[in-house]
Amino acid sequence: DLHKEYRRQRQMCIRDRLTGFSQGAVIASDVASDIGNSRLTIPDKNMLGVALLADGRRVNGQGINPGKPLNGQGLEVTLGPMGSGLGIISGTDATMKGRRSDGFGVLNERTYQLCSEKDIVCNASKNPVTLIEKGHNFFSNNPIHSQYNTNPDVVPGTTATRWIVQWMEKLINTALA
């Protein structure tokens, strides 16, 4: 029994979850895409799940949206290569990689994308011209991007951060069962 319990706990150590918010979500989602498409040596079976909050590379159909339906896409997707110029103009390291051509691969059904319909970082207009017209004050006036802990309008009945905590608890409890 002790040996069996040791093996079970050891297996748990090599299973993991990825989460990230905003730029952290972009990084976590890129890692998830690499794992799900076998570009890393980490086996996809070791990933319990991925939860991304305000992913700037979010695209409908890549991952699961547990909240309200969204019509837009991530800001990096809309701006794509032309967005790199914003980094030069603003003096930042913005690169705007654009869309993930191969999504999350086999992790697609274990990847959750949470985004407020009003957050231009993850739900930007698909038209760059419209985005620029509507978003000229974005960088100084996007309070919704910092309100996921209190915003009840992302996932009905809860906040996005509470949803992620409950999702993780369920993953962990299921893996330990």
Side-chain angles (χ1 to χ4, degrees):
D1 273 346
L2 188 58
H3 182 66
K4 190 176 189 180
E5 178 62 18
Y6 170 77
R7 278 195 358 235
R8 185 181 70 78
Q9 287 184 8
R10 186 167 176 250
Q11 287 176 340
M12 286 304 303
C13 292
I14 60 171
R15 291 187 180 169
D16 218 335
R17 305 140 317 270
L18 282 172
T19 61
F21 167 68
S22 195
Q23 185 177 8
V26 170
I27 294 165
S29 62
D30 288 349
V31 171
S33 179
D34 285 345
I35 293 169
N37 289 293
S38 302
R39 289 189 296 268
L40 292 178
T41 58
I42 301 167
D44 64 85
K45 68 180 182 181
N46 289 1
M47 290 302 304
L48 294 175
V50 181
L52 306 166
L53 186 57
D55 176 10
R57 295 183 73 195
R58 187 193 68 78
V59 175
N60 287 333
Q62 290 185 1
I64 299 166
N65 173 11
K68 291 183 176 181
L70 303 167
N71 293 321
Q73 60 192 13
L75 185 62
E76 288 197 29
V77 177
T78 297
L79 294 178
M82 81 174 201
S84 297
L86 293 176
I88 295 167
I89 293 168
S90 67
T92 66
D93 292 331
T95 57
M96 305 293 170
K97 294 179 181 178
R99 180 186 180 102
R100 280 180 211 89
S101 60
D102 50 4
F104 298 111
V106 297
L107 291 182
N108 195 63
E109 299 304 313
R110 287 180 265 168
T111 301
Y112 293 88
Q113 290 270 19
L114 292 94
C115 174
S116 169
E117 62 187 340
K118 296 177 183 175
D119 189 348
I120 197 171
V121 168
C122 53
N123 195 40
S125 168
K126 294 179 182 180
N127 180 339
V129 174
T130 304
L131 174 66
I132 292 167
E133 288 173 358
K134 291 182 178 180
H136 68 280
N137 289 328
F138 162 70
F139 292 105
S140 62
N141 191 20
N142 186 30
I144 201 75
H145 190 67
S146 65
Q147 297 172 346
Y148 282 96
N149 195 41
T150 58
N151 184 350
D153 297 326
V154 178
V155 180
T158 189
T159 64
T161 53
R162 186 69 200 142
W163 186 93
I164 291 172
V165 168
Q166 291 170 341
W167 167 80
M168 278 194 175
E169 287 173 347
K170 183 178 176 184
L171 279 180
I172 292 167
N173 289 335
T174 300
L176 290 173

